[in-house]
Every structure is written in C-alpha cells, then in structure tokens.
Amino acid sequence: PLTLREKCRPGTQRVDVALVIDASTTMRDDRTSAGRPKLSAAIDAARSFVATMSLPQDQVAVVVFNDSASLLQELTGRRADVEAALEKIPPLVRLQTRIDLGIEKAHEELTSSRRRPLNRPVMIVLTDGLANPAPASTAVRRAQEAKDDQVTIFTIGLGQPGALDLTDLREMASRPEYFYLA
C-alpha cells in the first residue's frame, strides 16, 4: 500500500490589473456628494485598491483617458511606481471622454509581453461621463475585443445616473454585476 501525506492547498489567483481612469475636465471640476473633486476621489480610490494588492506578485498598470489615452505606468509590481503614476494624472486633464481609447490602451498593455502568463488580466474602468465624441458603442466594441482575449472588465460610473452611459457601462463590464455606480 502507498500512503500519501501531501495535502492539496488551494492557491491564490494573481492578477495583472490595468486601472483606466477618466481625466476629463468634469472629473476635475465636478464634485462628489462629499464635496471633493471627482478626480481626487478616483485617485484615492485607486490608491486604496492598490494597497490591497499583493505586489510584486500582482502587477498594476495605469492608463488615463480624455481626448486621447496614455499609458502612465506599464505593468509593474512596484508600489512606488504606481503611486508616482497616479500623481501624474491631475495635470493631464483635458476635454472629452474617449472611453474607447482608454480601454484600447489598457487592452494593449494587458496583452503585452509584460503580462505574467499565470496572472489573470483585469481592467478597471472609472468614468464620470458620457462617451464623447466617439459613441459609447465604440467603447462597448473595444471592451468586447478585450473580453475576447480573456480580460475581465469591471466598470465604475462615478456620478449621477443621468450623466452616465449606464447601459453601455454594464455592457462593457464582463458581467452586468461587474458594473458599479459610485
């Protein structure tokens, strides 16, 4: 007879996360119900989220979007690099809300050679407005392309329902319950 004394312990799923943050003028100028600028609240929320991650096993990238999209930080396991990227966001504020470009840029990073093959690719998109000048359907299409590459997408609408593409944000998310209204 053969006796095995090994135990199978469930593992932890590691993630590579792209934080996709709206840096439009409404994020800078409009206030939360607590009176804070929406952009400040979003950056603080991103910091809090990153603080819960198991870096360096997990990785984070930072993307901002408005009339264009920029990768401020490639995927990294260094907390200081992520913090520095978040600090760069406020001066980058401009008009327009090109959610589609933010999703596209994050998708590129989450399918790049920097992604760890065993880590699950995740995108978190935070916006306070309606997609413009490109229609929300363009962002929905870009999100579907990322989901086709096994990227899990969460969307967060920061603001009042009338000022958000609620239906489209739900559709961009990997599941309807992965959309959150804040």
Side-chain angles (χ1 to χ4, degrees):
L2 177 65
T3 304
L4 295 177
R5 297 189 197 306
E6 296 177 19
K7 291 186 179 181
C8 181
R9 292 189 176 92
T12 300
Q13 175 65 61
R14 297 293 176 202
V15 291
D16 284 348
V17 176
L19 300 173
V20 185
I21 300 172
D22 184 343
S24 62
T25 53
T26 56
M27 286 289 286
R28 177 194 63 205
D29 299 340
D30 292 354
R31 305 281 173 175
T32 66
S33 58
R36 296 179 61 205
K38 288 181 179 180
L39 188 57
S40 295
I43 292 169
D44 286 347
R47 276 192 191 104
S48 295
F49 176 77
V50 171
T52 68
M53 297 181 68
S54 296
L55 303 179
Q57 298 89 348
D58 296 331
Q59 295 190 106
V60 182
V62 179
V63 173
V64 295
F65 65 92
N66 37 49
D67 67 342
S68 61
S70 299
L71 177 65
L72 297 184
Q73 177 58 58
E74 298 174 338
L75 283 167
T76 182
R78 291 178 34 90
R79 198 172 308 276
D81 293 347
V82 176
E83 287 287 332
L86 293 172
E87 289 296 319
K88 292 177 188 174
I89 295 174
L92 300 176
V93 170
R94 290 197 301 265
L95 290 171
Q96 300 183 339
T97 306
R98 292 293 305 269
I99 301 170
D100 61 310
L101 297 179
I103 290 172
E104 180 180 31
K105 186 67 73 177
H107 180 203
E108 289 170 6
E109 183 61 13
L110 290 170
T111 55
S112 75
S113 60
R114 289 177 289 279
R115 186 175 86 73
R116 293 185 179 144
L118 297 178
N119 286 13
R120 182 177 198 123
V122 175
M123 187 184 305
I124 300 173
V125 180
L126 190 144
T127 184
D128 78 331
L130 304 169
N132 74 75
S137 60
T138 304
V140 170
R141 191 171 57 254
R142 293 279 188 237
Q144 187 58 54
E145 291 167 1
K147 291 185 281 188
D148 289 346
D149 281 336
Q150 308 308 311
V151 175
T152 301
I153 302 177
F154 293 86
T155 55
I156 301 168
L158 182 59
Q160 299 301 315
L164 294 163
D165 292 316
L166 296 179
T167 302
D168 295 307
L169 286 170
R170 269 190 200 88
E171 197 171 336
M172 287 175 219
S174 292
R175 300 171 142 191
E177 62 268 24
Y178 288 0
F179 163 71
Y180 297 91
L181 183 61

